[in-house]
């Protein structure tokens, strides 16, 4: 929204019912191109560990490195040398996915400090944006056409046009771009609203947050 007018509208994918995207307001401070994905322990245990147990080469195929703290520094170890039989194993290692076409964050990550460790990002799986219901993530927000959003956010930060962003991403280099001025962000969960033409819109309460909410009469 710019000067009270919607200048960009994109579909998003939000968290599953058991990993809900939070309502939050804050400020975007940077945009990362070709991001690394540092896999949260919760996702490592719930989502990746079963796949690793079934196929120890899974991590290698996905470009995910296994890092272990040793002597005050991290060193990479082979996934095939790790005993993955216990969920506690992920607390002793850090999983990091390299920038690539397989990276779960895609090619763009939009960062804003928050206590929930969530952010906006790209995704290699574009087909889910065509779904009517789009709550498939682990809490972060996947944005369709996120490069357009990144270009809008970076418009006042030098020569960061959409073409420049595409060029930088094609180069494959990991890059953090700090904003000269933070951009406000508001993450809202709305199941009913009035459109610009006066029509009333209703959506399913997929997070069941409306239960117990009261509406005070005017």
């Amino acid at each position: 929204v710019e000067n009270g007018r919607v200048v960009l509208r994109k579909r998003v994918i939000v968290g599953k019912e058991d990993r809900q995207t939070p309502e939050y307001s804050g400020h975007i401070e940077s945009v990362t191109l070709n991001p690394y994905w540092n896999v949260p322990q919760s996702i490592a245990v719930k989502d990746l560990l079963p796949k690793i147990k079934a196929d120890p080469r899974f991590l290698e195929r996905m470009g995910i490195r296994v890092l272990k703290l040793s002597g005050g520094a991290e060193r990479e170890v082979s996934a095939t040398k790790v005993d993955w039989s216990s969920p506690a194993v992920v607390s002793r290692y850090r999983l990091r996915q390299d920038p690539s076409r397989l990276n779960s964050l895609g090619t763009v990550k939009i960062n804003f400090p928050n206590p929930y460790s969530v952010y906006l990002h790209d995704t290699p799986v574009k087909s889910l944006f065509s779904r009517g219901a789009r709550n498939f993530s682990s809490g972060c927000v996947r944005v369709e056409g996120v490069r357009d959003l990144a270009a809008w956010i970076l418009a006042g930060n030098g020569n960061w046009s959409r073409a420049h962003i595409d060029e930088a991403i094609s180069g494959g280099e990991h890059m953090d771009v700090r904003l000269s001025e933070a951009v406000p962000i508001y993450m809202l969960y709305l199941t009913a609203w009035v459109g610009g033409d006066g029509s009333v819109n209703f959506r399913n309460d997929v997070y069941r947050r409306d239960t117990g909410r009261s509406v005070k009469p005017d």
Side-chain angles (χ1 to χ4, degrees):
V1 176
E2 193 173 86
N3 298 321
R5 184 172 63 91
V6 176
V7 296
L8 196 65
R9 187 187 301 274
K10 299 291 184 180
R11 291 184 174 188
V12 298
I13 293 170
V14 297
K16 305 172 185 177
E17 186 176 347
D18 61 340
R19 306 183 201 181
Q20 298 181 12
T21 296
E23 291 183 273
Y24 182 76
S25 61
H27 289 83
I28 297 170
E29 295 186 347
S30 67
V31 175
T32 303
L33 306 180
N34 296 317
Y36 289 94
W37 181 39
N38 293 296
V39 184
Q41 284 195 17
S42 59
I43 294 179
V45 172
K46 294 179 181 178
D47 300 337
L48 299 190
L49 198 55
K51 297 178 181 179
I52 299 169
K53 289 178 179 178
D55 179 7
R57 297 286 181 183
F58 167 78
L59 294 178
E60 181 181 348
R61 290 202 316 274
M62 298 301 294
I64 299 176
R65 300 179 186 273
V66 182
L67 305 174
K68 183 178 182 180
L69 187 64
S70 177
E74 284 187 325
R75 64 180 179 86
E76 185 177 356
V77 300
S78 172
T80 60
K81 304 296 184 182
V82 177
D83 179 8
W84 298 101
S85 60
S86 169
V89 67
V90 296
S91 65
R92 300 192 291 272
Y93 298 91
R94 184 165 72 91
L95 304 183
R96 187 189 72 189
Q97 189 175 33
D98 291 337
S100 76
R101 63 181 181 81
L102 298 175
N103 190 287
S104 293
L105 305 186
T107 58
V108 176
K109 177 172 174 275
I110 298 171
N111 311 292
F112 49 98
N114 65 87
Y116 308 102
S117 299
V118 297
Y119 39 82
L120 313 183
H121 66 92
D122 187 17
T123 174
V125 184
K126 314 294 187 187
S127 59
L128 294 179
F129 288 115
S130 63
R131 301 282 189 90
R134 296 185 296 277
N135 51 320
F136 303 109
S137 83
S138 294
C140 291
V141 179
R142 308 173 198 171
V143 183
E144 185 178 31
V146 70
R147 296 189 192 186
D148 293 335
L149 178 59
W152 181 84
I153 291 171
L154 295 173
N157 294 263
N159 185 32
W160 283 107
S161 64
R162 170 61 194 269
H164 188 188
I165 290 172
D166 289 342
E167 182 181 359
I169 290 172
S170 296
E173 181 182 355
H174 171 83
M175 188 180 303
D176 286 312
V177 184
R178 300 288 301 182
L179 273 63
S180 57
E181 184 176 349
V183 174
I185 179 171
Y186 302 89
M187 300 173 67
L188 306 176
Y189 178 78
L190 303 175
T191 55
W193 68 93
V194 178
D197 60 355
S199 61
V200 180
N201 289 264
F202 295 97
R203 296 295 185 273
N204 291 334
D205 180 20
V206 294
Y207 289 167
R208 304 178 186 178
R209 293 182 183 176
D210 288 344
T211 302
R213 289 185 179 182
S214 59
V215 178
K216 294 181 180 180
D218 294 336

